Amino acid sequence: MLSKKKTMEALDIIHDMFPEAEAELNYSNEFELTIAVLLSAQATDISVNKVTDHLFKKYKTPEDYLNVPLEELENDIRTIGLYRTKAKNIQKLCRDLIDKFDGKVPTNYDDLITLAGVGRKTANVVLSVAFETPRIAVDTHVERVSKRLGIARWKDNVTEVEETLMRKIPMDRWSKAHHQLIFFGRYHCLARNPKCFDCPLLYMCREGQKRKRKLEKQKAK
């Protein structure tokens, strides 16, 4: 595994590659962000933004989501994967916001994860982006990059990856590093066709070096 020093060396390079990395979901307040992140599970930000472009014009408050039949909300988000489950969770979440939190998105982790459809990743994104609380949210990109580079172990679960990143990265860089790791995974270290041979991190990346050796062997045959 990479040491703290090597981890920061990698992050500094990723920072140079994606200095302006930030959340790509469209939203105008913490409530919209929460809905958008909930919708983004197993969906791309691009597909979510297409849906929320009209969704956030129609629904402004938690009450708005509850004032329509479930079937209507399902139809409004049906292009998103798992739309039926997500529609149910949105209405449950909105009911809890009204009944338990005065209609406002809670600002602490323990309350956030009590909301329907809000897991660890979603809560961390909301805290980091909406409330500027230092957090690292581990999505599929962050997990993949962390394991390929050797920052975390292949066998680590999502929580262990998060804890490892929090241990190796200074707190004041958590939120920025989270977005930069996402951008690095989304646009460079892709799941199927990573750009290993054009990567400034190849010299320290065990996965990239493995791919390079494999290609060299194939060429030598």
Side-chain angles (χ1 to χ4, degrees):
M1 290 175 64
L2 293 186
S3 64
K4 288 184 180 181
K5 182 178 179 181
K6 280 292 184 181
T7 296
M8 293 312 301
E9 184 178 326
L11 282 176
D12 286 342
I13 292 171
I14 293 173
H15 170 79
D16 290 340
M17 295 174 70
F18 303 102
E20 305 301 324
E22 60 183 5
E24 293 190 300
L25 291 170
N26 295 332
Y27 67 96
S28 60
N29 55 58
E30 58 266 23
F31 175 58
E32 289 185 353
L33 175 64
T34 303
I35 298 297
V37 180
L38 185 156
L39 290 172
S40 72
Q42 299 184 42
T44 65
D45 286 359
I46 292 174
S47 65
V48 172
N49 286 337
K50 288 180 180 178
V51 167
T52 57
D53 182 54
H54 69 80
L55 193 73
F56 292 161
K57 293 174 183 175
K58 180 176 180 179
Y59 303 98
K60 302 290 187 181
T61 67
E63 288 84 359
D64 291 340
Y65 286 96
L66 295 172
N67 287 335
V68 299
L70 178 61
E71 293 74 17
E72 183 174 342
L73 179 56
E74 287 178 349
N75 189 60
D76 287 333
I77 65 171
R78 67 181 304 112
T79 58
I80 297 289
L82 306 174
Y83 71 92
R84 287 192 177 91
T85 298
K86 291 176 181 179
K88 289 179 182 177
N89 284 335
I90 287 172
Q91 288 196 333
K92 289 178 182 178
L93 179 149
C94 289
R95 173 51 59 196
D96 280 345
L97 288 182
I98 294 169
D99 292 346
K100 300 178 181 179
F101 303 106
D102 197 28
K104 299 177 182 178
V105 176
T107 61
N108 67 85
Y109 177 83
D110 290 338
D111 285 338
L112 278 168
I113 60 172
T114 68
L115 300 172
V118 176
R120 189 178 187 90
K121 187 205 80 171
T122 299
N124 282 338
V125 171
V126 172
L127 288 170
S128 173
V129 176
F131 301 117
E132 299 184 351
T133 303
R135 309 292 288 201
I136 295 180
V138 178
D139 70 352
T140 181
H141 300 297
V142 175
E143 181 178 10
R144 180 175 68 254
V145 169
S146 297
K147 291 181 176 181
R148 280 181 174 173
L149 286 174
I151 297 172
R153 300 171 299 181
W154 282 111
K155 65 179 182 178
D156 286 350
N157 59 37
V158 173
T159 302
E160 289 170 332
V161 173
E162 179 187 326
E163 291 171 346
T164 297
L165 290 171
M166 290 168 67
R167 189 169 61 250
K168 292 185 175 181
I169 302 171
M171 184 181 293
D172 63 354
R173 289 188 63 171
W174 284 358
S175 294
K176 191 66 176 178
H178 153 241
H179 291 301
Q180 290 171 333
L181 287 168
I182 288 175
F183 269 53
F184 185 72
R186 182 176 289 162
Y187 301 114
H188 188 82
C189 189
L190 291 76
R192 293 187 178 180
N193 295 299
K195 302 175 183 179
C196 297
F197 308 116
D198 298 319
C199 185
L201 292 175
L202 180 60
Y203 73 98
M204 70 165 68
C205 178
R206 60 186 181 185
E207 181 72 12
Q209 291 170 6
K210 187 189 301 181
R211 289 171 182 268
K212 183 180 179 181
R213 288 194 296 269
K214 183 177 180 180
L215 182 62
E216 289 172 345
K217 286 182 180 180
Q218 290 174 343
K219 288 181 177 181
K221 289 182 180 180

